[in-house]
Amino acid sequence: RAEPLSAVFYCLALLIYSWGHPAPSQSLSTKASQSLSTKASSRQYAPVSAPALLATCVMATLSMLCKEQGITCLAVCCAYDVVIVCQLDVTTSVRYITSIRKSKTPKWLKSCVFRCMFLSVVTASLLVGRVWLIAGGGATSFTQSDNPTLFEPSVMTRTLTYSYLPAFCTWLL
């Protein structure tokens, strides 16, 4: 089936992405007494492996080709990069954004931004490729057996049916 194969490629992409990263040297949020410039200078910079980044994109592409949800792997990799590797939280991120004009941007932050931008470009390319290749460049047409709610004459029934899934997912969170 497509789901297990997509999950295998998804997990491989995450593993390859995590293996390609250097281990985080020091958490920015653990030493609140240090100044921002001291924290930035105490971090050691080590670039990510380019083959690991490319292999992650290949595995995410294979995962997406098996099941469309596989494309979310690249967003998870970006979140992993920001939260685990760079160890940024909301307050630290705001301080870095406000201090960029005052001081030189650290290399590790530039590298993180580059990786996230690269993953975003790959994600956009995969989305465009999916629409162009699979959907033929146009909107997908559904039959009544594919999506019975679409053909329901009552607006209230359609609205309640379409609203159920986001409400249920929010409740699960």
Side-chain angles (χ1 to χ4, degrees), residues 51-65:
L53 192 60
L54 293 175
T56 298
C57 293
V58 169
M59 291 298 148
T61 302
L62 292 173
S63 178
M64 186 201 73
L65 291 174

Side-chain angles (χ1 to χ4, degrees), residues 120-143:
S120 298
V121 167
V122 170
T123 302
S125 301
L126 288 173
L127 284 172
V128 168
R130 185 254 176 238
V131 169
W132 178 73
L133 183 67
I134 295 175
T140 309
S141 60
F142 292 103
T143 62

Side-chain angles (χ1 to χ4, degrees), residues 30-62:
T30 56
K31 298 192 176 184
S33 61
Q34 289 182 337
S35 70
L36 188 61
S37 60
T38 307
K39 288 179 190 177
S41 62
S42 67
R43 299 209 38 142
Q44 296 185 7
Y45 171 72
V48 69
S49 167
L53 192 60
L54 293 175
T56 298
C57 293
V58 169
M59 291 298 148
T61 302
L62 292 173

